[in-house]
Amino acid sequence: MSTAPTLHVPPLVPGPALQYELEQFLYAEAALLDEHRLEAWLGLFTPDARYRVPVRTNRVTREATREALESQDASAHFDDDLRGLSLRVARLTSGLAWSEYPLGRTRRLVSNVQVRALDAPGEVEVRSCFLLYRTRQEHAVDLFAGLRQDVLRRADAPGAWRIAHRTVLLEQTVILAGNLSVFF
Amino acid sequence: MQRDCPGPTARVLPTRPGGPPLDLSPLLEERGRVDPRIYVDPEVYELEQERVFGRSWLFLAHESQLERPGDFITTYMGEDPIIVSRQDDGSVAAFLNQCRHRGMRLTQEDAGHTRVFTCTYHGWTYDRGGRLSSVRDEREIYRCPVDRDRWSAVRVPRVESFHGFVFGTWDEHAPSFRDSLGDAAWYFEPLLDGVGGTEVIGVTKWTVHCNWKFGAEQFASDGYHFGMSHLSALKALMSQVPGAPRTMQEATPPPDGGRQFKNAQGHGALMAALPPNLMRGARLAFEPKANEWLLGPRQDFLVRKYGEARASVFIPASNLFPNVGILPAANALRVWQPKGPEQMEVWSYVIADADAPADVKQAIRLGNQRTFGSTGIFEQDDTHNWTEIQRVLKGRRARREIFNMEMDSGTQQDAEGRFPGTTANRSSSEVAARAFYRRWASLLSTEGAP
């Protein structure tokens, strides 16, 4: 008789208080983006930050795991350090970025937050799922769903966190929106 | 200058919606008027699938995507799904991604490695070259053997590799790929060659809700849009990047600067339309290693192989007829894949010299992604403009008013003989756009090929 597979639930480390704190951080971050406060959002990243959104591809099942664990230099929609993100924000806030003119309206739903402690002191790995609804102009609608794997680092101020590393797995191979002028 | 100016625009096109067929003669005569129904009309679209995509050389794959026998990628020729596959003898074959029994796709992967392609509907199996190799329960069900030759996948009859870039055409009588370039080969060949050859180091695909010709026409001919469409990227670069232009005037191409190439085969290229320090500045913003390589070892290679004149032409954008955009400024080759009259997908391939060190390739990939990738600081404004034009053309009146494509009617030979073929002496010109549409209209109005 076979044993049923056990569902692995990461332990809450180090407890509900931290879980709550990190969830609130992610919600606050989503609000900054939805409110187009991009320069404030940029301030959430550490100086050595990396922000990646790799390209997904359709592969046979036996190659699917390989695809999901793509190497760090694989094709990406975004692969930015802080300077790269700053340049994108400078463009979007120039008042001349036609793809966001008039500004798109977005709402980010963040859920399935799972926290894991890391060896480095003050660092945690946080996985979260998101659904990003965007509408532009009269009736253009884009939906993006995905998984984010973040390494968050404690900042000096109490309760403050910084994003040191973010990988976003978007669930689209061909991007169905006309442009990716949004951050995830 | 006045001598070349066209007179008042006469209404020469039909105005009744759903009325008489489109009059393509204004395009053929290069008068510079475009009936916007060519971007929306389903009949025009069907006709161009057959007569333009059915007869032209189309980009299929780069050889570096097919390293070993059995490696394959899937792509499209027009809207026809295609498998491109490395054969046991090292050659590259292309065939319709369609089972001959009921028409199911033979593979749904973007890429992979396989010995056979098995249809998931009834189990017919095809080998790496598209030949029907087995029919499930053939003896028990069909009784007579199924004719393997008759029912093999449909092969693309002509496939040629040009410096590792594999093109195919359905037209068995088409000139060779190189001949199809005509004098555009002088411009395109150094772009498609590389140190140790070239390789694809990334593929990204995105949807644009517009007709594929907007992309093709712009890359062939439009230096004019840069100083308006891309203001946000210019401004961001100026504020953030050491080495980038410091004033808007410095960043914006002069309207009378550069040149523009066109030919009868419909190819077009912009030359030195942008201040060279702009794209270099853009790359410098992120990865100086890319610039060091491109201006150093790559440039040396091109000068040695093609001479100073060909190596030193700065080509920010160009279009290989019909639907291959070459964007040397971002190390990109892209295909405008038609998906119905009002939609396309941009398939963007990042190209690097095969012999470039790994860190240089990475720098080139990042430079591409941040300028003209799916999230590129330049890319987004183009797709925005194109989708809005397409939306405007939903209007009955909007789609019957002809577009003005009359800019700079003068073309000439370069007085110093530096540039072969016919060129305009400014990059802000529409001569190559008119040549693109002339070739398109000429194919559209003649029957032939498959």
Side-chain angles (χ1 to χ4, degrees), chain B residues 45-302:
Chain B
Y45 183 78
E46 281 307 309
L47 207 57
E48 77 187 4
Q49 285 292 302
E50 187 179 318
R51 294 182 176 179
V52 177
F53 289 89
R55 284 190 278 188
S56 302
W57 282 101
L58 304 172
F59 179 70
L60 296 176
H62 190 279
E63 291 205 42
S64 61
Q65 297 176 288
L66 306 163
E67 286 177 358
R68 299 176 294 155
D71 283 357
F72 72 92
I73 62 108
T74 55
T75 185
Y76 289 88
M77 293 172 74
E79 289 213 56
D80 282 314
I82 301 288
I83 295 173
V84 189
S85 148
R86 181 74 78 180
Q87 305 301 291
D88 294 330
D89 67 359
S91 65
V92 174
F95 49 93
L96 269 186
N97 187 1
Q98 180 192 38
C99 180
R100 296 298 305 280
H101 175 235
R102 282 295 183 280
M104 174 58 184
R105 236 176 251 265
L106 293 174
T107 179
Q108 290 153 84
E109 282 93 51
D110 298 326
H113 177 86
T114 193
R115 197 170 52 78
V116 291
F117 297 93
T118 303
C119 175
T120 54
Y121 196 1
H122 301 90
W124 284 29
T125 297
Y126 300 78
D127 70 14
R128 290 166 173 172
R131 185 178 160 79
L132 181 62
S133 53
S134 80
V135 173
R136 190 169 59 91
D137 297 336
E138 183 177 25
R139 198 170 303 167
E140 298 81 348
I141 298 170
Y142 282 86
R143 318 263 167 129
C144 303
V146 176
D147 183 337
R148 297 292 191 264
D149 292 324
R150 173 73 184 77
W151 299 107
S152 283
V154 176
R155 278 283 281 257
V156 178
R158 301 272 304 281
V159 174
E160 289 182 20
S161 178
F162 185 76
H163 293 287
F165 294 82
V166 181
F167 288 79
T169 176
W170 294 112
D171 183 358
E172 297 188 41
H173 307 292
S176 71
F177 175 75
R178 176 180 269 280
D179 287 348
S180 79
L181 293 176
D183 45 13
W186 192 91
Y187 301 91
F188 285 139
E189 193 168 7
L191 305 183
L192 297 177
D193 202 355
V195 187
T198 52
E199 66 178 54
V200 165
I201 56 170
V203 184
T204 311
K205 305 171 183 178
W206 61 95
T207 309
V208 188
H209 297 279
C210 76
N211 188 275
W212 68 275
K213 293 189 287 297
F214 289 158
E217 174 209 310
Q218 192 203 73
F219 271 49
S221 185
D222 194 339
Y224 188 37
H225 80 288
F226 201 88
M228 183 65 201
S229 287
H230 299 301
L231 286 174
S232 61
L234 299 177
K235 204 170 157 187
L237 283 170
M238 280 158 45
S239 68
Q240 300 269 315
V241 178
R246 266 183 287 279
T247 64
M248 217 49 154
Q249 199 182 7
E250 225 180 286
T252 313
D256 59 348
R259 297 188 79 81
Q260 187 168 117
F261 168 81
K262 64 143 192 175
N263 72 0
Q265 288 86 346
H267 309 305
L270 298 174
M271 284 174 270
L274 309 180
N277 66 339
L278 179 67
M279 291 317 300
R280 284 169 200 160
R283 273 194 290 243
L284 208 59
F286 309 104
E287 301 292 339
K289 273 193 164 59
N291 288 325
E292 287 162 19
W293 174 269
L294 297 168
L295 301 174
R298 177 176 169 81
Q299 186 62 17
D300 296 344
F301 162 82
L302 291 176

Side-chain angles (χ1 to χ4, degrees), chain A residues 122-133:
Chain A
E123 283 193 357
V124 287
E125 184 189 89
V126 181
R127 288 160 58 101
S128 60
C129 300
F130 67 89
L131 186 64
L132 166 50
Y133 172 88

Side-chain angles (χ1 to χ4, degrees), chain A residues 58 60 62 73-80 83 87-88 91 94 98-99 136-138 175 177-178 181, chain B residues 109-110 113 202-205 207 228-229 232 235 285-286 362 365 369-370 374-375 377 380-381 384 391:
Chain A
N58 296 304
V60 290
R62 69 174 181 279
D73 61 356
S75 286
H77 300 291
F78 287 93
D79 190 344
D80 282 333
R83 294 178 69 200
L87 190 76
R88 295 182 189 282
R91 173 189 168 271
S94 68
W98 312 136
S99 59
R136 300 172 61 238
Q137 289 130 353
E138 289 165 302
I175 297 300
S181 58
Chain B
E109 282 93 51
D110 298 326
H113 177 86
V203 184
T204 311
K205 305 171 183 178
T207 309
M228 183 65 201
S229 287
S232 61
K235 204 170 157 187
F286 309 104
Q362 171 76 345
R365 193 176 63 70
Q369 176 190 301
R370 291 158 176 178
S374 54
T375 59
I377 58 171
Q380 297 176 17
D381 304 309
H384 168 77
R391 233 156 57 89

Side-chain angles (χ1 to χ4, degrees), chain A residues 6 8 10 30 43 69 113 116 128 130 135 142 155 166 174:
Chain A
T6 50
H8 175 69
L69 300 169
V113 179
R116 198 166 65 86
S128 60
F130 67 89
T135 174
D142 298 307
R166 169 167 292 175
V174 177

Side-chain angles (χ1 to χ4, degrees), chain A residues 175-179, chain B residues 206-211 336 342-346 379 382-384 386-387:
Chain A
I175 297 300
L176 302 177
N179 61 63
Chain B
W206 61 95
T207 309
V208 188
H209 297 279
C210 76
N211 188 275
W336 320 105
E342 303 193 40
Q343 189 170 309
M344 69 165 168
E345 282 172 16
V346 178
E379 182 62 31
D382 286 324
T383 55
H384 168 77
W386 297 339
T387 52

